[in-house]
Amino acid sequence: MKRFILSVQLVLIAVCGIAQQKQLTMQDAIGNARTTLAPQNLTQIQFLYGTENYVYAKRAGNEPVWMKGGFKEEEKSFLSLAELNVKLKAAGLDSAKAMPLIQFNQGADWIIGLNGAKIALNPVSNKATILVEAALGGKTGLEESRAGYVAYLDNFNLYVAKGAEQKQVTTDGTADIVYASSVHRDEFGISKGTFWSNSGKVLAFYRMDQRMVSDYPIIDWTTRPAKNVNIKYPMAGDKSHEVTVGVYNAETKTVVYLKTGEPAEQYLTNIAWSPDDKYVYIAVLNRGQNHLKLNQYDAVSGVFIKTLFEEKDEKYVEPLVPMLFLKNDPDKFIWQSNRDGWNHLYLYDGNGKVLKQLTKGSWEVMEVKGFDAKGQRLFYMSTAGSPISRNLYALNLKSGKAVQLTQGLAVHGAQVSTSGNTVIDNFSSPEQPRVVQIVETGSLKTKVLLEAANPLSAYATENSSIFTFKSKSGDDLYASLYKPVGFDASKKYPVIVYWYGGSHAQLILNSWNAGAGDYWFRYMAERGYVVLTIDTRGSDNRGKVFEQSMFRRVGDVQMEDMMGAVDYLKSQSYVDAANMGLFGWSFGGFNTVDFMVSHPGVFKAAVAGGPVINWAFYEVMYTERYMDTPQENPDGFAATYLSNKVGQLKGKLLLIHGQQDPVVVQQNSVDFVKKAVDAGVQVDYMIYPGHEHNVIGKDRIHLYQKVTDYFMQNLK
């Protein structure tokens, strides 16, 4: 018997050893990283409105079911499909064939997507209100209000409907005169074009006239013959579009346009309503992006009332978040600004006088989560613990004291209950794929709901090491390093370095997989590569000076920081400095090409995806923030026009571009190839027809196989 047990144990050890030597496939690394190999989660977990209880969806056997639990309540079944259909039948609605998406945290009613419609179901009375008719479900820009009105776009024009009644609000909409849509190319935190008032009876909306903007050709290759599809693409220094804001009263069916004044080429951002719906507030930014005015307008007449305050910066101001009025004092509001060098919260009175700075320190407020039920505490996420971590804090607005509610050097995502007494904390760290827990904000006691297993436990892979090294400027630069699987310190290994280095991006985080969304770095480490990722100056969430260091000469500080990374690599005895590769996309693609032509011979091979090659080819809003216009900064634009340096290229370079890219237009990489041909310089080029700025879906596997093959062929 003992011999049998011993044999079984030996077999199990052998099986485990084999399993742990399993290598990631490209499908695993790219296709499965967000599905079957993603850390386990609690699907659609949320608070049940007005309670401290949570709900989430799961499968019990073959049946979908919503589970409910709480800090002092054991988890149990809350709602099955059969039970939901009983309620739907009682409300006079058709049954659901599958469990629909349900929002339990928006109010007393459950918000349900049902057969193309959106309904509000009262779970006690089983009475239903149709929020969005099924006929409108597929409309563009759909947004309903608390008063039962629905705004949407149809044939370029804005409509507002309530029940069977539909009102066409605008009549001159075209592809060139754009209504109720995101404007200014999604900069300044803009993501939509309609803004319902607090009552839900009045709608503010964008109108963008882009007739004066040059057409830019995007070729549709799916037809015979191929056809040109023009988009409006305002390049740096050229004519930009003109935006105004309209206000539609759904009860009186009248429209006024806010008198936002001249010049027409300005940015209208961060739209907010006063608590009484009498006023609309807009952060008005000049085209130079160095002078902001927070303006107040009368919502009935459209008349300009006053400027509450102004912000100026010698480089740029970038408003990203609308003002937030206090819950229990509508005469005060909170404004986010990095005026002291870091993004923080400031309390103002209704006349625009700053009362006090609510948060302060060498760290960033990342996101405001809202108030507690009494409006006494404000919840926010910040980097106070570490630039690469995220934690939740509760700020007492009266005392000014903040309490840290989530703990540890990890990246936390938080939902706060209606009362503010409980938090759903969903976090990960490099060692812990995911933990979901609830936290009592008073006692800071926790209850773990899920501790996910390592989805890569069967694979021959290890976590990266996250560390810092000093830049020449004295800044700590974060890096993530994967060593080859089966690492032998006596051997030398080829290297791949990945980077981005531009604004609004941070590659390295204290989260699972070091913040990377796929497992390609691990895939390459399995195949014998050292893989380094770095966040250079210019990257996000490190303060204003860190980001603005690239002003008017993008690339310069990034090149310097990359040389620091190269020096670090060369100092490691296991690095084969003669076989190093560089990889980046978008801004990272620009940086990659820039480094290859500015520091030739350091990297043997490089891949640049969707690269900016000439900043004069890039859009007005982004480019002029960091570079000013080509007319104002000719030397800066000349220095960053990479095609003019193509003769300095050494080593192998692969350029990749989505052929329908409307963000970094293909003219960038084509220009570089043309100059390479003229100079007799060999470069490699790959296109992805049908893809825009990112290659997504199943073709992403093809993309990463292409990149992998390129490095394997050239780093030997």
Side-chain angles (χ1 to χ4, degrees):
M1 186 66 176
K2 290 181 179 179
R3 182 179 296 175
F4 174 75
I5 293 173
L6 179 60
S7 299
V8 170
Q9 290 173 337
L10 290 172
V11 169
L12 289 174
I13 291 170
V15 169
C16 290
I18 293 170
Q20 289 169 358
Q21 295 306 309
K22 185 178 178 182
Q23 285 200 330
L24 292 160
T25 65
M26 193 63 75
Q27 175 66 43
D28 291 331
I30 305 300
N32 299 342
R34 292 177 175 87
T35 55
T36 56
L37 288 180
Q40 184 186 358
N41 202 357
L42 297 182
T43 305
Q44 300 174 61
I45 188 167
Q46 57 191 283
F47 278 108
L48 191 61
Y49 183 82
T51 77
E52 308 306 313
N53 293 324
Y54 63 86
V55 293
Y56 69 93
K58 66 177 290 187
R59 296 196 71 84
N62 293 321
E63 295 296 323
V65 63
W66 287 89
M67 304 296 292
K68 185 182 82 165
F71 205 92
K72 297 179 181 178
E73 182 177 321
E74 290 300 315
E75 201 169 277
K76 60 184 178 181
S77 175
F78 174 63
L79 182 69
S80 68
L81 181 59
E83 290 167 337
L84 174 62
N85 280 330
V86 169
K87 290 181 174 292
L88 294 175
K89 183 177 180 181
L93 299 171
D94 293 335
S95 297
K97 295 181 180 178
M99 183 66 80
L101 295 176
I102 306 177
Q103 292 176 286
F104 296 98
N105 58 2
Q106 299 300 300
D109 291 344
W110 300 347
I111 309 302
I112 306 174
L114 187 67
N115 302 323
K118 191 174 185 179
I119 67 166
L121 176 68
N122 187 295
V124 178
S125 66
N126 291 336
K127 291 183 179 179
T129 303
I130 297 178
L131 302 177
V132 179
E133 299 280 354
L136 300 180
K139 297 294 184 182
T140 302
L142 198 69
E143 186 173 7
E144 71 269 17
S145 82
R146 66 190 307 169
Y149 293 99
V150 180
Y152 62 94
L153 280 170
D154 192 10
N155 195 28
F156 300 111
N157 280 300
L158 171 64
Y159 287 76
V160 172
K162 188 173 186 180
E165 182 183 3
Q166 297 182 5
K167 168 66 176 177
Q168 183 173 346
V169 178
T170 67
T171 58
D172 62 339
T174 64
D176 291 340
I177 299 179
V178 180
Y179 282 104
S181 303
S182 179
V183 299
H184 304 320
R185 293 187 65 84
D186 300 328
E187 297 293 336
F188 317 109
I190 299 170
S191 61
K192 64 190 186 84
T194 52
F195 309 86
W196 281 108
S197 66
N198 300 286
S199 69
K201 298 176 181 179
V202 191
L203 178 74
F205 62 90
Y206 278 126
R207 179 187 190 269
M208 179 171 63
D209 185 349
Q210 51 183 1
R211 288 173 293 181
M212 66 292 297
V213 177
S214 298
D215 288 334
Y216 193 89
I218 301 290
I219 305 301
D220 178 0
W221 299 93
T222 63
T223 63
R224 178 181 180 273
K227 64 182 180 182
N228 176 59
V229 179
N230 282 328
I231 64 170
K232 293 293 186 177
Y233 193 89
M235 288 186 175
D238 292 350
K239 187 69 178 173
S240 187
H241 55 236
E242 299 174 1
V243 171
T244 50
V245 175
V247 176
Y248 172 71
N249 188 308
E251 292 194 319
T252 63
K253 297 180 173 54
T254 56
V255 176
V256 299
Y257 282 88
L258 304 183
K259 295 176 174 56
T260 49
E262 298 292 334
E265 289 189 2
Q266 59 186 357
Y267 302 119
L268 307 182
T269 74
N270 307 133
I271 292 174
W273 283 91
S274 63
D276 59 9
D277 289 353
K278 290 182 179 179
Y279 305 105
V280 177
Y281 298 88
I282 302 177
V284 180
L285 187 66
N286 66 327
R287 177 162 171 174
Q289 300 188 46
N290 58 6
H291 186 186
L292 175 149
K293 297 180 181 180
L294 184 61
N295 288 348
Q296 180 184 24
Y297 302 88
D298 185 276
V300 175
S301 66
V303 170
F304 166 73
I305 303 297
K306 63 176 179 286
T307 295
L308 274 67
F309 64 82
E310 302 180 40
E311 282 193 31
K312 297 180 180 180
D313 190 279
E314 63 179 8
K315 294 179 179 176
Y316 54 86
V317 181
E318 188 181 5
L320 292 170
V321 183
M323 61 204 299
L324 175 66
F325 285 91
L326 298 193
K327 191 170 185 176
N328 55 5
D329 190 347
D331 292 328
K332 295 184 179 70
F333 66 89
I334 294 169
W335 181 255
Q336 295 191 35
S337 172
N338 67 355
R339 66 184 63 158
D340 77 343
W342 303 85
N343 190 55
H344 282 298
L345 308 178
Y346 295 80
L347 181 65
Y348 280 83
D349 68 15
N351 292 316
K353 178 184 177 182
V354 63
L355 301 176
K356 60 180 175 179
Q357 184 172 348
L358 295 172
T359 61
K360 189 176 181 63
S362 300
W363 45 268
E364 303 266 292
V365 171
M366 299 297 299
E367 180 186 5
V368 171
K369 290 290 187 178
F371 301 98
D372 65 10
K374 295 180 180 179
Q376 297 174 344
R377 291 179 297 165
L378 181 73
F379 299 91
Y380 64 89
M381 306 295 298
S382 90
T383 63
S386 163
I388 61 174
S389 297
R390 306 285 183 269
N391 275 290
L392 178 70
Y393 295 77
L395 174 71
N396 185 301
L397 292 169
K398 186 176 181 179
S399 70
K401 294 182 178 179
V403 176
Q404 183 175 337
L405 301 179
T406 60
Q407 308 300 320
L409 294 179
V411 173
H412 294 260
Q415 299 179 49
V416 183
S417 68
T418 316
S419 67
N421 293 330
T422 313
V423 169
I424 297 173
D425 178 21
N426 191 327
F427 72 91
S428 76
S429 68
E431 295 76 31
Q432 177 59 61
R434 189 188 308 279
V435 173
V436 182
Q437 62 183 7
I438 48 177
V439 182
E440 284 188 334
T441 60
S443 67
L444 298 185
K445 292 180 179 178
T446 61
K447 179 181 178 180
V448 175
L449 310 180
L450 169 71
E451 189 168 353
N454 181 357
L456 300 177
S457 59
Y459 292 85
T461 181
E462 296 178 358
N463 294 338
S464 68
S465 59
I466 296 176
F467 62 97
T468 62
F469 63 92
K470 292 287 185 183
S471 70
K472 288 187 177 180
S473 62
D475 292 291
D476 285 327
L477 301 180
Y478 281 87
S480 170
L481 182 77
Y482 284 95
K483 290 182 178 179
V485 173
F487 175 73
D488 182 344
S490 67
K491 294 183 178 179
K492 287 189 177 292
Y493 297 94
V495 177
I496 295 171
V497 180
Y498 183 80
W499 64 337
Y500 183 81
S503 61
H504 297 289
Q506 184 178 13
L507 299 181
I508 300 164
L509 294 169
N510 257 327
S511 62
W512 173 242
N513 206 35
D518 59 53
Y519 298 133
W520 185 74
F521 301 151
R522 294 173 182 266
Y523 177 94
M524 297 306 290
E526 284 181 338
R527 283 147 184 84
Y529 290 83
V530 172
V531 184
L532 180 73
T533 311
I534 64 168
D535 280 322
T536 65
R537 281 173 290 168
S539 301
D540 208 6
N541 306 320
R542 296 292 307 279
K544 183 165 68 171
V545 172
F546 193 85
E547 181 188 282
Q548 289 189 345
S549 61
M550 64 179 178
F551 184 64
R552 289 175 66 92
R553 284 293 291 268
V554 296
D556 280 11
V557 296
Q558 289 90 342
M559 301 306 106
E560 186 174 274
D561 291 350
M562 178 56 75
M563 278 306 303
V566 168
D567 290 343
Y568 168 81
L569 288 168
K570 288 182 175 180
S571 72
Q572 306 304 304
S573 62
Y574 55 84
V575 164
D576 180 359
N579 284 288
M580 299 197 300
L582 187 60
F583 180 22
W585 199 276
S586 192
F587 201 114
F590 161 77
N591 280 332
T592 296
V593 178
D594 195 359
F595 196 92
M596 291 296 287
V597 296
S598 300
H599 297 277
V602 174
F603 287 97
K604 189 177 180 182
V607 178
V612 177
I613 295 296
N614 183 349
W615 284 98
F617 291 166
Y618 200 58
E619 63 187 36
V620 165
M621 299 81 195
Y622 187 95
T623 303
E624 293 180 7
R625 181 184 311 135
Y626 305 111
M627 289 286 285
D628 287 335
T629 67
Q631 297 87 344
E632 294 166 326
N633 183 20
D635 292 342
F637 276 83
T640 54
Y641 181 20
L642 304 182
S643 295
N644 286 341
K645 302 178 183 180
V646 69
Q648 299 169 206
L649 178 68
K650 292 182 180 178
K652 303 290 289 184
L653 175 62
L654 170 63
L655 302 174
I656 303 177
H657 224 118
Q659 209 162 20
Q660 275 61 53
D661 192 339
V663 179
V664 179
V665 293
Q666 196 181 358
Q667 185 173 2
N668 282 275
S669 56
V670 168
D671 184 81
F672 190 87
V673 171
K674 177 63 169 68
K675 292 290 174 43
V677 172
D678 292 345
V681 175
Q682 292 291 331
V683 296
D684 296 304
Y685 196 72
M686 179 68 185
I687 59 169
Y688 279 91
H691 288 278
E692 296 189 350
H693 191 49
N694 286 306
V695 179
I696 59 176
K698 63 180 181 60
D699 292 353
R700 193 166 183 82
I701 298 170
H702 187 282
L703 163 68
Y704 271 86
Q705 191 63 60
K706 170 63 68 176
V707 174
T708 300
D709 291 346
Y710 198 75
F711 285 132
M712 287 187 169
Q713 290 163 6
N714 292 295
L715 302 181
K716 297 180 180 178

